[in-house]
Amino acid sequence: MSKSIPNVDWANQLESVIRQFVKEKLELIMREEIKHFLEIEQADTSNMRNGYYQRNLDTQYGRIEGLLVPRDRNGEFQT
């Protein structure tokens, strides 16, 4: 006889996987967005990347904690 995962545990694991997937894709999009911002919109300035800051994002799948948002030195980049 095989053991089955209770439905509640299965749902929690699925939501956790979805949150991690969404977090990874959002961070990828934001990295590309700041790259474009600095190469195209800020090409004639000395503005450059300046690390990341963390924020939390509430989604229908629960809270995504520690989302890494890129920032620029002049503080002009907005997601």
Side-chain angles (χ1 to χ4, degrees), residues 3-54:
K3 292 183 178 181
S4 64
I5 300 173
N7 286 341
V8 174
D9 289 341
W10 173 250
N12 289 339
Q13 288 177 359
L14 182 59
E15 284 182 356
S16 178
V17 168
I18 291 171
R19 278 193 305 272
Q20 184 62 35
F21 177 80
V22 170
K23 179 181 179 183
E24 289 172 6
K25 296 309 170 195
L26 285 173
E27 289 175 346
L28 174 67
I29 290 167
M30 288 186 290
R31 283 193 307 268
E32 290 299 317
E33 189 176 17
I34 195 168
K35 179 180 171 186
H36 178 268
F37 172 77
L38 293 172
E39 289 177 355
I40 305 300
E41 297 178 31
Q42 300 284 307
D44 298 332
T45 68
S46 61
N47 196 8
M48 62 180 71
R49 292 185 62 155
N50 189 27
Y52 298 90
Y53 64 94
Q54 291 186 2

Side-chain angles (χ1 to χ4, degrees), residues 19 22-23 26 55-59 62-67:
R19 278 193 305 272
V22 170
K23 179 181 179 183
L26 285 173
R55 52 183 341 172
N56 298 328
L57 178 66
D58 292 323
T59 70
R63 177 171 277 212
I64 296 174
E65 296 186 359
L67 185 65

